[in-house]
Amino acid sequence: MNPVNLTDTSRLCVHTITTKPWNIEEAAKHFSAAGVKGITVWRDTLKGRSIRQTGQMLRDHDLSVVSLCRGGFFPSIDSNKREAAIDDNRKAIEEAHELGTSMIVLVCGADPLQPLEESRKQIRDGIQAVLPEAAAAGVKLAIEPLHPMYADTRSAINTLAQANDMAEEINSPFVGVAVDVYHLWWDPSLEKEIKRCGANGNLAAFHICDWKVPTTDFLNDRGLMGEGCIPVKKIRSWVEATGFTGFNEVEIFSNKYWKEDQKEFLGKIVRAYKEYS
């Protein structure tokens, strides 16, 4: 399937972390003015605010609240920490419901003091522990596989195949998968696993950015689409071939871009989105 060029911003979502220097009110104002139609809210931006009123403010700016980021971080060798993580995920579900979004992205976590297999079991158990609350709130939990370089502490789910396996094992309409090109572009099984994810109805979210060459910081040096080596358009075509019609979510962690004028940076995002996504 040949990628179709994007000609408008009707499916463009931007994460609040992408324009980190802005508070959520500034982000809403500028996203809306730039024609962005979706926003994924990071939980830190909600501190000290009425979550319900913030959700209404976003909708008043004609923004769809695509998801809340992030839940997860379930594994630990300490049972008290595991329970605390479950409690925090229950809180995140409440926040998502108040905000008026139907999805939470899970950065699942890992503990380097135990085998990855044990961390994966604790992730599964943690998701299942909060699933009743998620279902009651109508909130989908989207498992996001992270690049293997994060397998030490950030996520024991490192391939789309692993995320697919877990979503299929849990087998709930309130558990899905978030596909992020930054984490998965290197995987030779990516096209096959995207097709599998879509066929099972588990493809819940699609995140885009680029992998810069050379990358100077593996966390905070992501690039604009077209600035690196990820075939974003090709991967998007695989995602859309499954029937996915959701937002293309721009999620960029960048010390470089956070130092820039954020309004100018947002303009670059819109241009890169149309040309290279």
Side-chain angles (χ1 to χ4, degrees):
M1 181 175 179
N2 292 323
V4 177
N5 290 337
L6 296 166
T7 58
D8 60 50
T9 55
S10 61
R11 293 174 57 209
L12 171 57
C13 168
V14 180
H15 285 227
T16 57
I17 195 70
T18 299
T19 54
K20 185 178 178 181
W22 279 340
N23 63 36
I24 197 164
E25 292 81 11
E26 291 171 319
K29 173 185 172 183
H30 293 297
F31 288 5
S32 181
V36 175
K37 293 300 181 182
I39 186 168
T40 280
V41 176
W42 280 60
R43 293 173 71 189
D44 63 294
T45 65
L46 298 173
K47 288 180 180 176
R49 291 170 171 80
S50 163
I51 297 176
R52 196 174 297 274
Q53 289 177 8
T54 300
Q56 187 58 54
M57 179 272 295
L58 296 174
R59 287 183 286 277
D60 288 344
H61 280 90
D62 197 28
L63 292 167
S64 295
V65 187
V66 177
S67 62
L68 182 68
C69 200
R70 58 198 181 187
F73 289 99
F74 294 107
S76 175
I77 61 168
D78 185 333
S79 60
N80 291 326
K81 289 183 179 179
R82 294 199 300 275
E83 284 300 319
I86 288 169
D87 288 342
D88 184 63
N89 278 269
R90 288 182 174 131
K91 181 181 178 183
I93 291 166
E94 293 175 5
E95 292 171 359
H97 183 65
E98 287 186 40
L99 191 63
T101 185
S102 58
M103 181 163 55
I104 295 174
V105 177
L106 300 181
V107 176
C108 292
D111 190 330
L113 299 178
Q114 65 186 10
L116 286 169
E117 292 81 5
E118 182 62 23
S119 286
R120 291 179 190 128
K121 178 181 180 297
Q122 291 172 0
I123 291 166
R124 183 198 65 210
D125 292 348
I127 292 172
Q128 290 177 321
V130 302
L131 198 49
E133 288 85 355
V139 173
K140 178 167 282 195
L141 307 175
I143 300 166
E144 182 177 20
L146 299 196
H147 193 284
M149 65 186 172
Y150 295 128
D152 55 350
T153 57
R154 287 182 178 271
S155 184
I157 307 297
N158 307 113
T159 66
L160 186 49
Q162 290 170 347
N164 281 336
D165 288 346
M166 187 166 292
E168 290 168 19
E169 181 181 359
I170 295 172
N171 190 26
S172 166
F174 294 99
V175 174
V177 176
V179 171
D180 187 323
V181 300
Y182 188 76
H183 296 298
L184 300 175
W185 69 275
W186 56 272
D187 187 345
S189 299
L190 185 56
E191 182 178 9
K192 179 184 74 175
E193 291 297 331
I194 286 175
K195 184 176 182 180
R196 172 188 171 194
C197 191
N200 289 324
N202 288 329
L203 184 44
F206 180 53
H207 299 177
I208 58 175
C209 63
D210 215 334
W211 185 289
K212 291 168 67 175
V213 182
T215 294
T216 60
D217 185 306
F218 286 122
L219 181 60
N220 293 325
D221 192 36
R222 297 190 187 190
L224 285 160
M225 296 73 69
E227 199 173 25
C229 59
I230 299 178
V232 180
K233 282 189 179 183
K234 180 185 284 188
I235 297 173
R236 177 172 62 83
S237 75
W238 297 341
V239 167
E240 291 176 352
T242 71
F244 180 82
T245 57
F247 283 90
N248 302 305
E249 304 182 43
V250 178
E251 183 183 30
I252 296 174
F253 300 74
S254 172
N255 291 325
K256 171 190 172 185
Y257 286 123
W258 289 333
K259 290 176 184 176
E260 288 191 4
D261 179 292
Q262 294 301 284
K263 196 170 180 180
E264 292 181 7
F265 176 38
L266 183 58
K268 292 178 181 178
I269 290 171
V270 172
R271 289 191 293 274
Y273 176 77
K274 290 181 178 179
E275 188 168 355
Y276 298 108
S277 301

